[in-house]
Amino acid sequence: MKSRVVSTIRGQVYELLKEGICAGEYQPGQWLLEGELAEQFSVSRSPVREALRRLAADGLVVEVPNKGVFVREFTPKDIEEIFDLRVMMESYAIDKITEHLTEEMASQLYGCLEELKSAWNLRNLPAYIEADTQLHDLIIAFSGNSFLVIAYERVHIMIQQFRSFSLLDQKRFDESMEEHQSIVDNIVQRRPEEAKRINSQHLRLAMEQIKKYLSEKAQ
Protein backbone atom coordinates (compact mmCIF):
# COMPACT_ATOMS: atom_id res chain seq x y z
CA MET A 1 0.00 0.00 0.00
CA LYS A 2 1.10 3.55 -0.66
CA SER A 3 2.26 5.60 2.31
CA ARG A 4 0.50 8.82 3.15
CA VAL A 5 2.05 12.09 4.16
CA VAL A 6 1.37 12.57 7.86
CA SER A 7 2.48 15.38 10.12
CA THR A 8 2.77 13.72 13.53
CA ILE A 9 4.84 10.90 14.97
CA ARG A 10 1.74 9.07 16.15
CA GLY A 11 0.27 9.47 12.66
CA GLN A 12 3.41 7.98 11.13
CA VAL A 13 3.38 5.05 13.54
CA TYR A 14 -0.30 4.46 12.82
CA GLU A 15 0.28 4.40 9.05
CA LEU A 16 3.31 2.11 9.34
CA LEU A 17 1.45 -0.36 11.54
CA LYS A 18 -1.65 -0.28 9.35
CA GLU A 19 0.36 -0.87 6.20
CA GLY A 20 2.31 -3.63 7.94
CA ILE A 21 -0.88 -5.41 8.97
CA CYS A 22 -2.41 -5.06 5.50
CA ALA A 23 0.79 -6.37 3.91
CA GLY A 24 0.86 -9.38 6.23
CA GLU A 25 4.03 -8.30 8.03
CA TYR A 26 2.12 -8.68 11.30
CA GLN A 27 0.27 -11.98 11.33
CA PRO A 28 -3.33 -12.54 12.50
CA GLY A 29 -3.26 -13.24 16.23
CA GLN A 30 0.19 -11.72 16.68
CA TRP A 31 0.73 -9.93 19.98
CA LEU A 32 1.68 -6.30 19.40
CA LEU A 33 3.89 -5.28 22.28
CA GLU A 34 4.16 -1.53 22.89
CA GLY A 35 7.78 -1.74 23.99
CA GLU A 36 8.93 -3.74 20.98
CA LEU A 37 7.08 -1.48 18.56
CA ALA A 38 8.44 1.65 20.22
CA GLU A 39 11.96 0.27 19.83
CA GLN A 40 11.28 -0.77 16.23
CA PHE A 41 10.11 2.72 15.24
CA SER A 42 12.53 4.57 17.55
CA VAL A 43 9.73 6.40 19.35
CA SER A 44 8.29 6.50 22.86
CA ARG A 45 5.41 4.26 23.89
CA SER A 46 2.85 7.07 23.78
CA PRO A 47 2.48 7.34 19.96
CA VAL A 48 2.47 3.54 19.72
CA ARG A 49 -0.33 3.33 22.28
CA GLU A 50 -2.36 5.95 20.39
CA ALA A 51 -1.76 4.18 17.07
CA LEU A 52 -2.96 0.88 18.53
CA ARG A 53 -6.13 2.56 19.79
CA ARG A 54 -6.83 3.89 16.30
CA LEU A 55 -6.18 0.49 14.76
CA ALA A 56 -8.62 -1.05 17.23
CA ALA A 57 -11.23 1.49 16.12
CA ASP A 58 -10.48 0.50 12.51
CA GLY A 59 -11.10 -3.15 13.38
CA LEU A 60 -7.57 -4.25 12.47
CA VAL A 61 -6.51 -5.15 16.02
CA VAL A 62 -8.33 -6.23 19.17
CA GLU A 63 -7.62 -5.11 22.72
CA VAL A 64 -7.95 -7.96 25.19
CA PRO A 65 -8.27 -6.71 28.81
CA ASN A 66 -5.30 -7.67 31.02
CA LYS A 67 -3.58 -9.36 28.08
CA GLY A 68 -2.70 -6.86 25.39
CA VAL A 69 -3.34 -5.92 21.78
CA PHE A 70 -3.42 -8.53 19.02
CA VAL A 71 -3.74 -8.42 15.24
CA ARG A 72 -7.34 -9.30 14.51
CA GLU A 73 -8.08 -12.82 13.33
CA PHE A 74 -10.91 -12.79 10.81
CA THR A 75 -13.42 -15.63 10.53
CA PRO A 76 -15.24 -16.69 7.33
CA LYS A 77 -18.35 -15.01 8.76
CA ASP A 78 -16.43 -11.75 9.23
CA ILE A 79 -15.36 -11.87 5.58
CA GLU A 80 -18.92 -12.53 4.45
CA GLU A 81 -20.20 -9.52 6.39
CA ILE A 82 -17.44 -7.27 5.06
CA PHE A 83 -18.20 -8.23 1.47
CA ASP A 84 -21.93 -7.74 2.03
CA LEU A 85 -21.11 -4.14 2.95
CA ARG A 86 -18.87 -3.75 -0.09
CA VAL A 87 -21.64 -4.95 -2.39
CA MET A 88 -24.07 -2.44 -0.90
CA MET A 89 -21.60 0.44 -1.01
CA GLU A 90 -20.34 -0.21 -4.53
CA SER A 91 -23.85 -0.78 -5.91
CA TYR A 92 -24.89 2.61 -4.53
CA ALA A 93 -21.78 4.20 -6.05
CA ILE A 94 -22.45 2.68 -9.48
CA ASP A 95 -25.99 4.08 -9.45
CA LYS A 96 -24.69 7.53 -8.55
CA ILE A 97 -21.90 7.48 -11.17
CA THR A 98 -24.27 6.72 -14.02
CA GLU A 99 -26.42 9.70 -13.01
CA HIS A 100 -23.60 12.23 -13.56
CA LEU A 101 -20.93 10.45 -15.61
CA THR A 102 -18.61 12.77 -17.53
CA GLU A 103 -16.05 12.09 -20.27
CA GLU A 104 -13.27 12.85 -17.78
CA MET A 105 -14.63 10.29 -15.32
CA ALA A 106 -14.92 7.68 -18.07
CA SER A 107 -11.35 8.44 -19.14
CA GLN A 108 -10.06 7.94 -15.60
CA LEU A 109 -11.93 4.65 -15.24
CA TYR A 110 -10.47 3.33 -18.48
CA GLY A 111 -7.02 4.62 -17.51
CA CYS A 112 -7.18 2.65 -14.28
CA LEU A 113 -8.45 -0.36 -16.21
CA GLU A 114 -5.42 -0.15 -18.52
CA GLU A 115 -3.09 -0.29 -15.51
CA LEU A 116 -4.98 -3.33 -14.32
CA LYS A 117 -4.70 -4.97 -17.72
CA SER A 118 -0.98 -4.25 -17.92
CA ALA A 119 -0.38 -5.93 -14.55
CA TRP A 120 -2.55 -8.86 -15.64
CA ASN A 121 -0.60 -9.30 -18.87
CA LEU A 122 2.64 -9.37 -16.90
CA ARG A 123 1.12 -11.75 -14.33
CA ASN A 124 2.24 -9.23 -11.71
CA LEU A 125 -0.12 -10.04 -8.84
CA PRO A 126 0.99 -7.25 -6.43
CA ALA A 127 0.64 -4.62 -9.16
CA TYR A 128 -2.71 -6.10 -10.17
CA ILE A 129 -4.00 -5.92 -6.61
CA GLU A 130 -2.89 -2.30 -6.32
CA ALA A 131 -4.62 -1.36 -9.59
CA ASP A 132 -7.69 -3.37 -8.54
CA THR A 133 -7.87 -1.40 -5.29
CA GLN A 134 -7.47 1.90 -7.13
CA LEU A 135 -10.29 1.04 -9.54
CA HIS A 136 -12.77 0.17 -6.81
CA ASP A 137 -11.71 3.25 -4.83
CA LEU A 138 -12.30 5.36 -7.93
CA ILE A 139 -15.80 3.97 -8.35
CA ILE A 140 -16.56 4.90 -4.75
CA ALA A 141 -15.00 8.36 -5.11
CA PHE A 142 -17.04 9.09 -8.25
CA SER A 143 -20.23 8.56 -6.27
CA GLY A 144 -19.69 12.09 -5.00
CA ASN A 145 -20.48 11.02 -1.42
CA SER A 146 -17.60 11.96 0.87
CA PHE A 147 -19.02 10.01 3.82
CA LEU A 148 -19.22 6.89 1.68
CA VAL A 149 -15.53 7.29 0.82
CA ILE A 150 -14.60 7.33 4.51
CA ALA A 151 -16.83 4.38 5.40
CA TYR A 152 -15.64 2.35 2.42
CA GLU A 153 -11.98 2.84 3.29
CA ARG A 154 -12.55 1.44 6.77
CA VAL A 155 -14.40 -1.58 5.40
CA HIS A 156 -12.04 -2.26 2.51
CA ILE A 157 -8.86 -2.03 4.55
CA MET A 158 -9.91 -4.93 6.76
CA ILE A 159 -9.60 -7.43 3.90
CA GLN A 160 -6.53 -5.94 2.23
CA GLN A 161 -4.24 -8.56 3.79
CA PHE A 162 -6.26 -11.34 2.13
CA ARG A 163 -6.52 -9.88 -1.39
CA SER A 164 -3.79 -12.07 -2.91
CA PHE A 165 -5.51 -15.25 -1.73
CA SER A 166 -8.57 -14.45 -3.83
CA LEU A 167 -6.47 -14.46 -7.02
CA LEU A 168 -3.95 -17.27 -6.59
CA ASP A 169 -5.95 -19.54 -8.89
CA GLN A 170 -5.04 -18.70 -12.51
CA LYS A 171 -8.59 -19.21 -13.77
CA ARG A 172 -9.90 -16.84 -11.11
CA PHE A 173 -7.17 -14.31 -11.96
CA ASP A 174 -8.26 -14.31 -15.62
CA GLU A 175 -11.95 -14.12 -14.75
CA SER A 176 -11.27 -11.15 -12.48
CA MET A 177 -9.76 -9.21 -15.38
CA GLU A 178 -12.78 -9.94 -17.58
CA GLU A 179 -15.15 -8.89 -14.80
CA HIS A 180 -13.40 -5.56 -14.28
CA GLN A 181 -13.56 -4.87 -18.03
CA SER A 182 -17.30 -5.58 -18.06
CA ILE A 183 -17.94 -3.50 -14.94
CA VAL A 184 -16.25 -0.43 -16.41
CA ASP A 185 -17.82 -0.90 -19.86
CA ASN A 186 -21.30 -1.08 -18.37
CA ILE A 187 -20.75 1.93 -16.12
CA VAL A 188 -19.52 4.04 -19.05
CA GLN A 189 -22.39 2.83 -21.24
CA ARG A 190 -24.79 3.81 -18.42
CA ARG A 191 -26.09 0.33 -17.75
CA PRO A 192 -26.01 0.40 -13.93
CA GLU A 193 -28.06 -2.75 -13.36
CA GLU A 194 -25.70 -4.89 -15.43
CA ALA A 195 -22.63 -3.22 -13.90
CA LYS A 196 -24.00 -3.91 -10.41
CA ARG A 197 -24.82 -7.51 -11.28
CA ILE A 198 -21.32 -8.24 -12.56
CA ASN A 199 -19.66 -6.34 -9.71
CA SER A 200 -21.70 -8.22 -7.10
CA GLN A 201 -20.74 -11.53 -8.70
CA HIS A 202 -17.11 -10.40 -8.83
CA LEU A 203 -17.10 -9.55 -5.12
CA ARG A 204 -18.91 -12.74 -4.14
CA LEU A 205 -16.36 -14.89 -5.98
CA ALA A 206 -13.49 -13.05 -4.26
CA MET A 207 -15.24 -13.54 -0.93
CA GLU A 208 -15.58 -17.30 -1.48
CA GLN A 209 -11.88 -17.64 -2.27
CA ILE A 210 -10.90 -15.82 0.93
CA LYS A 211 -13.36 -17.82 3.02
CA LYS A 212 -11.93 -21.02 1.54
CA TYR A 213 -8.41 -19.92 2.45
CA LEU A 214 -9.41 -19.11 6.03
CA SER A 215 -11.27 -22.41 6.44
CA GLU A 216 -8.29 -24.41 5.15
CA LYS A 217 -5.92 -22.47 7.39
CA ALA A 218 -8.07 -23.26 10.44
CA GLN A 219 -7.88 -27.02 9.82
Side-chain angles (χ1 to χ4, degrees):
M1 296 180 64
K2 293 183 178 180
S3 298
R4 298 178 181 177
V5 176
V6 287
S7 58
T8 63
I9 292 177
R10 64 184 179 183
Q12 292 172 18
V13 172
Y14 166 75
E15 291 294 337
L16 288 169
L17 282 172
K18 182 171 69 172
E19 290 172 12
I21 291 170
C22 290
E25 295 169 12
Y26 302 100
Q27 295 298 309
Q30 182 175 336
W31 187 9
L32 299 177
L33 294 165
E34 284 185 13
E36 289 184 2
L37 293 172
E39 184 176 349
Q40 177 185 342
F41 298 129
S42 300
V43 297
S44 68
R45 290 195 177 200
S46 180
V48 172
R49 189 175 303 117
E50 178 61 28
L52 291 175
R53 288 196 188 112
R54 289 182 63 186
L55 291 167
D58 290 341
L60 290 176
V61 304
V62 291
E63 297 181 90
V64 181
N66 303 317
K67 289 189 177 181
V69 178
F70 301 83
V71 177
R72 181 170 181 172
E73 297 182 86
F74 288 90
T75 67
K77 186 175 185 297
D78 291 331
I79 298 302
E80 189 170 319
E81 291 177 351
I82 289 169
F83 272 91
D84 280 346
L85 282 172
R86 283 194 64 188
V87 169
M88 287 189 288
M89 290 177 171
E90 293 185 30
S91 293
Y92 168 87
I94 288 170
D95 276 333
K96 288 298 181 181
I97 291 172
T98 53
E99 290 176 7
H100 57 259
L101 183 72
T102 65
E103 289 186 7
E104 175 60 25
M105 290 165 68
S107 177
Q108 288 188 52
L109 286 169
Y110 276 123
C112 197
L113 189 65
E114 283 303 310
E115 291 184 21
L116 193 73
K117 193 176 296 183
S118 176
W120 174 74
N121 284 328
L122 294 171
R123 295 296 188 261
N124 186 334
L125 185 55
Y128 184 90
I129 291 172
E130 183 175 350
D132 183 346
T133 299
Q134 290 174 350
L135 179 58
H136 286 272
D137 284 349
L138 196 60
I139 290 171
I140 292 294
F142 282 167
S143 72
N145 188 320
S146 60
F147 290 99
L148 177 65
V149 172
I150 295 170
Y152 182 81
E153 181 181 9
R154 295 189 64 179
V155 169
H156 194 212
I157 200 169
M158 286 192 280
I159 52 143
Q160 200 67 21
Q161 60 188 298
F162 304 114
R163 293 298 303 282
S164 63
F165 299 111
S166 68
L167 296 167
L168 291 178
D169 179 79
Q170 187 59 56
K171 180 173 180 292
R172 181 66 208 124
F173 192 14
D174 294 339
E175 289 172 345
S176 174
M177 183 63 243
E178 293 175 8
E179 289 156 8
H180 282 111
Q181 180 75 59
S182 295
I183 292 163
V184 173
D185 284 343
N186 280 287
I187 288 175
V188 173
Q189 292 165 20
R190 289 185 168 82
R191 295 200 295 248
E193 294 306 316
E194 184 63 6
K196 288 189 293 183
R197 184 190 70 77
I198 297 169
N199 189 59
S200 295
Q201 179 186 37
H202 167 73
L203 293 176
R204 299 286 182 197
L205 288 169
M207 175 191 72
E208 291 302 328
Q209 289 294 105
I210 295 173
K211 286 172 62 180
K212 179 182 177 183
Y213 161 77
L214 289 176
S215 296
E216 291 175 349
K217 186 179 178 183
Q219 292 176 359

